[in-house]
Structure formats: structure tokens, C-alpha cells
Amino acid sequence: MARALPRRSAAPPREDVAPHSRDLAAVLFPYARTAALLAVGALVAIVAAAIVLRFADLANLPGGLYGDEAAEGLDAQRMLHQPGFHPDWFVWFQDDGGREALFAYVVAGVFHFFGETVLTLRGVAAGFGVAGVIGVWVLARRWGTWVALAAAAWAAGSLWLVVVSRDGMRNTIVPLFGSLALLALLLWLDRPSRRIAALAGGATALCMLYTYQPLKLLPVVIGFWLWWLWRSDPATFRRLRVGFVPFAAAFLVVAAPMIAVAITNPSNYFGRAAAVSPLNPAVTSDSNLLFHMLRTIGAFGFTGDPNPRQDVAGIPLLSIPLALVALLGIVRLWRGRRDPANSLILCSLPVFLVPALLAVADGSPHFLRLLGMAAPLGVTIGLGAAELVEQLHGRLGVWAARVAIGGVALGLAATALGSWQAYSAAPLANRYDAYSFSLIALADAAAQPNTAVVVDIYDDRRIDRKSTRLNSSHANI
């Protein structure tokens, strides 16, 4: 008798969407068609809100031009028009403290088709911001439809992410690429083949090395997660171990250009991290290390970013109610920590908090250094909302749970409206110096025929970016 071919072992059943969660959803929304229509309508509304909050009045808000924006725009312009100009190893700019070039490549492409203006520069950032909201939704879908909608609604209306998305700099790409990195790891978890391991390794290298500083800690997250699995879930660890070599090989292939940069120009590549380290005796900080750490942790409910570019009325990264919802999410993740997907989020949160804790330059908390947390924090908030609904359902019944769903929806909508109100009403004086409005006035004057302005080299870059047809022959430096 012919022997049957051995069947490929299936992935272990997923535990991230618990049966009682699915049962509760069926109780709260007994008609599947109605529930599906509600979910689609909610997603459309969330994406629409993300677009409005990031693109509305973008020509005037924030206005001016920040120096880092000028560097991104000018280098994108030079790649288009200056023969032979390209980043080191095609991936790294040495100027402006050293920068990954991926964002500038996208800006250059948009400049080519839509014109070289500050509005198009910031439009690229806003587009990445909307894509980041969708990325958080896709990531959080692993934990259920309604968890994903809550996570995306928070990301769409978060003042933190709205402000970042309206500045034309590469940090705006972190929520999207952070989501992609975690998705790649979860795909490897579900399908632990060598091919998927290689895909995950390449994606990790791309997201880690070619985006922005916080995601450079992705290998720490992965190492912490694998150690966790080795201790708590040896079977899953053994399935993943088959792919360690392909993962590392693909990682090295994708990382090769940036590794070449680090070897050939280590002072520039590592200079930014060294400059903000507490070990740097020349670093300028607003407080001692302990107070700096306390203020950074206080961003979750209490303290706002004092740096003018991110400071909007001293509003913290999360309001106290949202911080409590996130805490419920952490409780839920910890309760289900034996599930590898939950443990990945639990590993991500503290690791991506580290850059803001240890980089002491400038004011604290520094919200840009917390951007690695955006994707896992969105998942955590979505899970916290689900936990709140389930707890009320268990104690008070189905109608209390339905009221809780309405309350969560209204709270997230109020967060989005409050974000726009705070951002759009912020006095011009608060951002006048940070966004170099005086230099913009000089740029407008210098763009006139037979006119010259006198500036230093750094300010000339910002003037040059504001008036894209201006070159050094128009200014006496």
C-alpha cells in the first residue's frame, strides 16, 4: 500500500484572540452583517480623520521651516539636479548630524512629480503619517477587529503622532516601519520556514537601519523576545531556531550598505547617539539623569515635551484616561504572556522606551525618541479598550459593555478633536523661533530680483530650501 506523504506541520493554534473574546463580540453584535458594516464604516472614518488631521491647512501649520526639514528637502533637491550627488553608499547623508537617506529618496520622487516646495515636503511626511495609522491597524488585527479599530483610532487622533506627521522629516516614517517590523516577526512566528525567516531578517534590517534612531533597537527587542520564548515556550523557540541562519544572512545582505557606512565613517554614523548620551561631558540637559527619567516616564499622563517643535500647550503623550487604558492593555498582555505575539509586544514597550530615557540632550520628555513605541503602544491601547469592555460585561452585563464601547469611541473621537484644537490654536509665538519664521522672511526677500541677504552657512541651507530656486549667488555669506 502506498505510503501517504507526511503533511506539513501546521502552525500552532493562535491564542491571541481568545475564544471568550470572540463570543463576547458575537453577544455585543449579534448580527454579523451589521457588525461587519460597522467595522468597515469605522475604519473609513478613522482613515479619513487621519488624513484630515495631517493634511488640513498644511500650507500654514506649522508654517516656517525647521532646520532638519531644510536638510531633507535640500538633499532631495540635490539628488534631482546635481550631477554625481548621492548619499554615502547610497544610504547615508553626512550633513545635519548624519541621516538615513530613505525619506529623502521618497521626497525626491515626490518633488519630481509635484514640485519642489515646503508643502510637498510636508505632504510626504503627512502621507507617511496616514500610512502609519493603517500600519498600526494591520498589526493590531491579529488581536481582533475591534482591538485593531481602537488602536488605529488612537493613532489617527494622537496629538503626538499628528505633530510628527506634519513636519517634513524622516522621523514620521517610524510608526509605519515599526508596524512592518513587528508584522514580519509575527509572520515568521506563524510560518517558521527558512524563506519566511529570511524575509523577516531583511525586513528587520530595512526597518532598523534605514529609518530613524529608535528602531535601531529592534535587535534588542528580537533578542529579548527569543530569550523569553526559550524560557517560556521551548517548542516555539525550536520552530523558530530553524530559521536563525536565513534570518541572519538576509539581515546582513540588506544591512551591508549601512554597515559599510558605519565602518568607513564611524564618527559620523555614531556621532548623533554619542552626542546625546549622558556619558558625553559636553551634553546639555534640562535636568539630572534621575529627574530626566522621571519626566520621561511622566509623559504617560503627566508631562509634555518642552521642545518647541513638539510642545503643544504642555500636553502629555497620553492623557491620564488613555494611560489607564494602556495599563489595562499591559495587564491583558501580561495575563496572556505565554502567547508569543503578546510577549513580543511586552518586549517592545520597555526596549523602545530606552532611547528617551538615556538620551539626555535637550528637554525631557523628548517625544521623538519615543517613536519606536508607537506601533506596540497602539496595540496595547486597543487591548486595553477590549479589556475594559470585557470587564464591564462580566460584572454588569451586555448593556454596560455596549455603553463602554460607545464611551471608548467617544473618548477616542474627543482625543482627535482635542488634538486638532490644541494644535491649530497654538500661538505662533510658540513656534516662531523653532520654525525659523524670520529666516523665511529673509528667503522671501532674497528671492526678489537684485536682492541679497547676509546669513551664516547653516541658515543659508534653510533659506535655500524655502526658496528652491535660490542658490548661493543670490546671497552674500
Side-chain angles (χ1 to χ4, degrees):
M1 186 171 63
R3 293 179 59 189
L5 292 174
R7 296 186 60 185
R8 190 177 184 179
S9 59
R14 279 178 44 183
E15 302 172 3
D16 40 50
V17 183
H20 71 273
S21 298
R22 293 191 291 267
D23 295 343
L24 177 59
V27 170
L28 296 176
F29 303 103
Y31 301 103
R33 184 179 179 85
T34 301
L37 289 174
L38 281 173
V40 171
L43 179 61
V44 170
I46 288 166
V47 174
I51 292 171
V52 170
L53 289 172
R54 285 154 180 80
F55 282 93
D57 201 21
L58 193 57
N60 300 304
L61 283 173
L65 188 68
Y66 195 77
D68 292 343
E69 292 179 289
E72 298 285 4
L74 184 56
D75 283 334
Q77 190 181 40
R78 292 176 69 191
M79 284 193 290
L80 287 175
H81 301 296
Q82 183 175 324
F85 176 80
H86 58 78
D88 291 359
W89 296 90
F90 295 94
V91 297
W92 183 261
F93 292 116
Q94 292 190 32
D95 63 339
D96 197 37
R99 289 176 293 117
E100 302 84 356
L102 176 60
F103 179 73
Y105 277 115
V106 179
V107 171
V110 175
F111 277 1
H112 176 75
F113 291 103
F114 298 99
E116 301 165 9
T117 67
V118 174
L119 180 59
T120 51
L121 170 65
R122 287 177 172 162
V124 174
F128 269 116
V130 175
V133 173
I134 297 172
V136 169
W137 171 74
V138 174
L139 172 65
R141 285 184 69 240
R142 184 182 185 91
W143 288 268
T145 299
W146 303 102
V147 169
L149 290 172
W154 166 77
S158 165
L159 179 61
W160 171 40
L161 300 183
V162 169
V163 171
V164 168
S165 298
R166 295 176 68 95
D167 288 344
M169 294 177 290
R170 71 195 188 286
N171 44 50
T172 187
I173 71 180
V174 171
L176 172 61
F177 281 89
S179 299
L180 293 176
L182 294 177
L183 280 166
L185 293 172
L186 292 174
L187 179 62
W188 181 29
L189 172 67
D190 291 337
R191 300 170 60 185
S193 66
R194 289 179 171 84
R195 180 171 59 87
I196 298 300
L199 176 65
T204 299
L206 173 66
C207 298
M208 169 194 169
L209 295 171
Y210 299 95
T211 55
Y212 185 58
Q213 297 291 330
L215 292 184
K216 287 183 169 57
L217 291 180
L218 272 170
V220 179
V221 172
I222 296 170
F224 188 15
W225 181 52
L226 291 174
W227 173 83
W228 185 307
L229 294 178
W230 175 64
R231 294 294 302 270
S232 65
D233 192 351
T236 298
F237 179 82
R238 285 193 296 271
R239 284 194 299 272
L240 293 177
R241 187 170 58 188
V242 175
F244 284 2
V245 172
F247 182 100
F251 180 95
L252 291 173
V253 168
V254 176
M258 199 62 80
I259 293 173
V261 170
I263 293 172
T264 57
N265 194 354
S267 60
N268 187 253
Y269 182 78
F270 296 105
R272 185 182 293 269
V276 300
S277 166
L279 301 178
N280 177 10
V283 69
T284 58
S285 178
D286 62 346
S287 60
N288 61 50
L289 181 59
L290 176 60
F291 191 63
H292 161 84
M293 289 183 171
L294 291 175
R295 283 186 55 83
T296 298
I297 295 171
F300 301 96
F302 302 99
T303 54
D305 189 331
N307 300 288
R309 191 178 62 207
Q310 292 93 239
D311 179 22
V312 181
I315 295 174
L317 191 145
L318 293 182
S319 64
I320 291 177
L322 272 174
L324 292 174
V325 171
L327 184 60
L328 279 176
I330 292 173
V331 170
R332 188 183 182 95
L333 286 165
W334 182 256
R335 194 171 60 237
R337 62 190 179 275
R338 293 188 64 84
D339 172 58
N342 289 348
S343 62
L344 177 61
I345 301 300
L346 284 171
C347 293
S348 300
L349 290 170
V351 171
F352 286 131
L353 180 62
V354 168
L357 288 174
L358 295 185
V360 299
D362 305 319
S364 57
H366 199 299
F367 286 177
L368 294 185
R369 295 168 187 156
L370 290 166
L371 277 171
M373 297 185 70
L377 184 59
V379 172
T380 304
I381 289 172
L383 287 169
E387 182 71 12
L388 174 64
V389 171
E390 288 187 14
Q391 290 293 336
L392 288 175
H393 177 261
R395 287 170 169 76
L396 301 176
V398 66
W399 283 105
R402 288 173 177 166
V403 170
I405 291 173
V408 169
L410 288 175
L412 291 171
T415 297
L417 291 172
S419 295
W420 179 251
Q421 173 61 28
Y423 183 76
S424 61
L428 174 62
N430 290 0
R431 60 183 190 276
Y432 188 86
D433 290 334
Y435 287 93
S436 305
F437 276 79
S438 58
L439 291 175
I440 303 312
L442 283 175
D444 292 338
Q448 303 302 316
N450 302 316
T451 303
V453 297
V454 179
V455 295
D456 61 28
I457 293 175
Y458 180 69
D459 288 341
D460 177 57
R461 292 179 61 83
R462 287 182 282 180
I463 291 176
D464 199 18
R465 184 60 206 90
K466 172 64 178 177
S467 181
T468 56
R469 298 183 184 278
L470 180 66
N471 56 48
S472 59
S473 64
H474 292 103
N476 297 318
I477 301 175

